[in-house]
Amino acid sequence: MTTNKELLSLRTANTPRGVGTQTNIFADRARNAEIWDVEGNHYIDLAAGIAVVNTGHNHPAVIAAVKTQLERFSHTCFQVAPYDVYVQLAKRLNELAPGDTPKKTIFLTTGAEAVENAVKIARRYTERSGIIAFSGAFHGRTMMGMALTGKVVPYKAGFGPFPAEVFHVPYPIAYHGISVDDSLDALATLFKSDVEPSRIAAMIIEPVQGEGGFYPAPTGFLQKMRAVCDEHGILLIIDEIQTGFGRTGTLFACEQSDIEPDLMPVAKSLAGGFPLSGVIGKADIMDSVPPGGLGGTFGGSAIACAAGLAVLDIIENEKLCNKAQAIGVQVREWATELQKNNNCIGEIRTMGAMCAIELVTNGDADKPDADLTRTIAANALTEGVILLTCGVRGNVIRFLPPLTIEPELLGKALEVVGNTIQKLSGNVVRKVG
Ligand SMILES: Cc1ncc(COP(=O)(O)O)c(C=O)c1O
């Protein structure tokens, strides 16, 4: 039998440490919300491959669609011999995207690549260069992705210089004393002191800040950003890479703000575990780029597009948006009960099944407890629950189970996490220095 330890030493010797891993268990097989490692240990998966398998690991309908496509062909390159599943998936997404304006969709492979392409298209359409992003944002690890990302360590440190003309303003987070007015004031100051709005091609925003700490945009904020963009001819890019495909209780999170994005990068859960990303955008904006300006050898893999069609069916047939809302309620009720006896839980945030607790010392929002957060995740793992941490301060535990998780299994995992928190809060050995 291969052990986790053997594979870890192989990994350490042969792969760079820059690809951080949150656990040292090596996956052997996975079904729905459960993973077994190479030693046969069983885990409940509250990470879903970082919000990638909203439809669960190896959903039978996804696997069937992929098998059928594999029998036909795996790759011709859409730019050489285009194929049906690409254009069929584009049509469905164009119909499902928020707003009435006709849409077009390009497919790529990773989230960062989708963000890159959204920026390219926005610059080409507007013939402007500037891009506004938000502090705490995460938009990927390519050069433009890093430039847009609003967190230096570990994403940007030592990798510059980045593409120019990217400006950051604070993301409104009431828990940390940043109001919507503060963000609007910062934007006004930016337009006065750094760059005129007529030089800005686009503003990019996550409807729920993901890696930054699972902070949903306050009510009305996205609408205000839409209005600012409209006033100045700036395109609004809504990054739905982590929030999309039912995660927040609607197919796309920005639907809940009743706004229509100009461009919408999507990825992660789009293809149920197969690498696929895309940019869905208003048709005239998408068509501003002449032939040859967009694309990529693997962009819109036929296998992944076939999986994507199955994912959209599953979300609809299995009512996964409703299930996401039910998961949010279950996690919130559990966390609220736990918070009564544990003042380390500073804030509970749920938007559908994008759920988080922020861990602090003595209920003080200004005293983030990253040590406790790491320790809870590590201990939960030894008890068989895979948890992810996040946050600019490293003190947020996020809950991202597949939307198909059985409520009983989720309850079991939450019980484990709850016991771990009860045991640890107050007696964690803090790092010195
Ligand atoms: C909001 C958001 N944008 C972009 C990305 C980058 O996606 P990828 O890792 O597929 O390049 C991520 C990944 O976590 C994300 O959450």
Side-chain angles (χ1 to χ4, degrees), residues 50 109-113 115 138-141 206 208 210-211 239-243 267-268:
I50 320 188
T109 309
T110 66
E113 209 186 346
V115 168
F138 183 79
H139 296 292
R141 289 181 169 87
E206 294 163 272
V208 180
E211 306 301 303
D239 181 340
E240 290 268 5
I241 287 170
Q242 190 157 167
T243 47
K268 288 196 184 275

Side-chain angles (χ1 to χ4, degrees), residues 296-378:
T297 307
F298 284 115
S301 140
I303 294 168
C305 285
L309 284 165
V311 164
L312 293 180
D313 289 340
I314 297 164
I315 292 175
E316 196 181 320
N317 296 341
E318 299 187 18
K319 302 192 171 28
L320 292 193
C321 292
N322 293 352
K323 288 200 174 148
Q325 288 167 16
I327 289 170
V329 170
Q330 191 177 352
V331 173
R332 180 167 285 279
E333 280 174 0
W334 161 83
T336 306
E337 202 49 42
L338 197 66
Q339 193 181 34
K340 288 181 187 157
N341 301 318
N342 292 279
N343 64 2
C344 63
I345 300 179
E347 195 178 54
I348 302 160
R349 297 185 283 276
T350 56
M351 186 171 176
M354 203 159 172
C355 313
I357 53 175
E358 181 152 348
L359 295 155
V360 296
T361 305
N362 290 333
D364 185 342
D366 292 330
K367 291 191 182 148
D369 202 336
D371 286 344
L372 177 63
T373 308
R374 266 191 306 272
T375 313
I376 291 169

Side-chain angles (χ1 to χ4, degrees), residues 35-310:
I35 296 181
W36 289 262
D37 72 11
V38 288
E39 295 174 11
N41 300 309
H42 169 255
Y43 302 90
I44 304 173
D45 182 13
L46 299 190
I50 320 188
V52 166
V53 286
N54 285 1
T55 48
H57 292 282
N58 278 31
H59 192 293
V62 171
I63 300 306
V66 165
K67 277 187 179 157
T68 304
Q69 181 56 42
L70 264 176
E71 299 280 320
R72 300 174 68 205
F73 61 90
S74 60
H75 177 80
T76 58
C77 185
F78 190 74
Q79 289 153 238
V80 177
Y83 34 83
D84 51 6
V85 282
Y86 187 120
V87 292
Q88 287 161 353
L89 184 59
K91 180 172 188 292
R92 288 199 49 194
L93 290 172
N94 295 337
E95 286 163 1
L96 289 166
D100 295 333
T101 317
K103 306 285 190 314
K104 288 198 174 183
T105 294
I106 177 178
F107 291 113
L108 305 139
T109 309
T110 66
E113 209 186 346
V115 168
E116 292 278 338
N117 277 273
V119 171
K120 279 173 64 173
I121 296 165
R123 283 185 167 169
R124 182 79 199 205
Y125 177 77
T126 58
E127 298 181 354
R128 301 175 181 184
S129 53
I131 310 288
I132 293 172
F134 287 82
S135 335
F138 183 79
H139 296 292
R141 289 181 169 87
T142 53
M143 280 295 170
M144 181 51 85
M146 285 191 289
L148 297 170
T149 287
K151 182 180 176 189
V152 172
V153 179
Y155 302 125
K156 300 168 80 148
F159 296 129
F162 302 116
E165 299 285 278
V166 172
F167 307 91
H168 284 94
V169 290
Y171 192 86
I173 300 175
Y175 186 60
H176 291 294
I178 307 167
S179 67
V180 168
D181 282 346
D182 292 335
S183 295
L184 286 167
D185 288 349
L187 200 53
T189 306
L190 179 81
F191 289 154
K192 266 196 222 121
S193 59
D194 288 313
V195 60
E196 67 275 28
S198 59
R199 225 174 75 210
I200 301 295
M203 169 190 286
I204 183 165
I205 185 163
E206 294 163 272
V208 180
Q209 230 177 38
E211 306 301 303
F214 275 34
Y215 299 105
T219 313
F221 184 64
L222 294 183
Q223 284 163 341
K224 288 203 164 78
M225 292 303 103
R226 179 71 271 178
V228 169
C229 287
D230 289 345
E231 186 188 340
H232 298 293
I234 296 169
L235 298 188
L236 182 61
I237 304 175
I238 299 288
D239 181 340
E240 290 268 5
I241 287 170
Q242 190 157 167
T243 47
F245 302 99
R247 173 57 56 186
T248 66
T250 42
L251 191 62
F252 300 106
C254 68
E255 288 170 39
Q256 295 175 47
S257 296
D258 202 19
I259 54 151
E260 181 173 8
D262 296 305
L263 295 164
M264 197 167 75
V266 291
K268 288 196 184 275
S269 259
L270 165 59
F274 291 84
L276 186 67
S277 68
V279 182
I280 309 167
K282 291 182 178 165
D284 60 331
I285 298 174
M286 297 296 285
D287 272 336
S288 63
V289 182
L294 302 175
T297 307
F298 284 115
S301 140
I303 294 168
C305 285
L309 284 165

